Amino acid sequence: MTLFILFYWVVGIICAIFFLGDELFPEKTTPPDRDTAFKRNFLFLASLLIVLANIYVYYNSTSNGGRPFDVVSLIIFAVLNGSCETFVFLAVFKLGENMMRNFTDKSPYLFLGGILMFMVFSGFIHGVLWINALPPHVIPLSEMPPDKVIFKQLFFPFQIALVLCWSALYFFFKDIWGIVFLHAIVDAGVVYSIHYSLWQNSPLAFLK
């Protein structure tokens, strides 16, 4: 399954080159006005708080299966998946935005088009790739201790909150690297929570 992940990361790099282009390394311009900078910083900090809360919820609603913790996998996965998957997500968001542009130029609808594509693709890739690539970690609701059930119920709302915040950071501020940073923290939290290893049952194990 690791080879599929590597392929996915390559797709992310291709998306960055062909679809995000100059947004990755914009030319230096005049600094944003004070109001814009405040709004961007406020949204970023709100997103960071949601990310940290999401990690806490995820940690308390999943299982590591007694697997050993692999710090090397945490670093590699956080950096590579945090960046490459972000590039894919934002390219998909941009696709939804451009598709909506065929019908209207109004910002709320363009934002909605991007979010819908983001959510559809995110659900697809998690259902097709990640549920199979990650080791067993889902705890059925019926098997969870009563004091942990609330975390299971909060998981999906927090995923929606992440999509909304990251979409807003991109749509209004084109803050790609801020989203990469936030996504890397989420991915680090995933590896730490379920003790995922890139080397387990992988043809790349000899690289460790």
Side-chain angles (χ1 to χ4, degrees):
M1 216 52 206
T2 303
L3 291 179
F4 286 98
I5 296 174
L6 290 175
F7 175 76
Y8 183 47
W9 290 344
V10 170
V11 170
I13 294 172
I14 293 172
C15 286
I17 294 171
F18 289 99
F19 300 109
L20 300 178
D22 295 339
E23 294 176 358
L24 286 170
F25 303 103
E27 295 182 5
K28 290 185 177 180
T29 57
T30 56
D33 61 80
R34 197 169 185 177
D35 184 58
T36 300
F38 173 80
K39 290 177 181 177
R40 182 267 171 194
N41 292 337
F42 178 82
L43 181 57
F44 180 84
L45 289 175
S47 300
L48 180 59
L49 290 176
I50 292 173
V51 162
L52 297 176
N54 175 77
I55 291 174
Y56 184 71
V57 167
Y58 188 82
Y59 179 83
N60 283 281
S61 59
T62 55
S63 168
N64 62 32
R67 293 176 290 271
F69 173 58
D70 182 358
V71 68
V72 176
S73 288
L74 183 148
I75 295 171
I76 294 175
F77 192 77
V79 172
L80 290 182
N81 198 68
S83 56
C84 294
E85 187 169 52
T86 296
F87 300 151
V88 177
F89 282 164
L90 297 184
V92 169
F93 180 95
K94 201 168 187 177
L95 173 63
E97 182 183 347
N98 289 333
M99 289 173 64
M100 185 62 75
R101 204 179 297 276
N102 292 321
F103 305 99
T104 179
D105 286 329
K106 294 182 178 180
S107 292
Y109 294 103
L110 299 179
F111 184 57
L112 179 61
I115 286 179
L116 290 177
M117 285 297 292
F118 188 157
M119 293 179 66
V120 168
F121 177 79
S122 179
F124 169 79
I125 200 64
H126 282 82
V128 172
L129 175 62
W130 294 122
I131 197 66
N132 295 308
L134 299 178
H137 61 280
V138 178
I139 305 174
L141 189 61
S142 60
E143 298 179 12
M144 297 194 73
D147 60 327
K148 299 286 187 179
V149 170
I150 183 63
F151 295 107
K152 191 80 168 181
Q153 296 170 334
L154 287 173
F155 177 76
F156 187 69
F158 270 97
Q159 300 306 300
I160 298 296
L162 288 178
V163 169
L164 292 174
C165 287
W166 294 358
S167 295
L169 277 171
Y170 177 68
F171 185 79
F172 294 108
F173 305 106
K174 294 297 182 282
D175 189 7
I176 295 177
W177 296 110
I179 302 169
V180 166
F181 176 76
L182 294 169
H183 196 165
I185 296 176
V186 169
D187 286 338
V190 168
V191 175
Y192 179 77
S193 297
I194 68 174
H195 289 188
Y196 170 59
S197 174
L198 288 166
W199 324 107
Q200 187 173 6
N201 300 322
S202 167
L204 302 180
F206 69 91
L207 294 175
K208 187 176 180 182

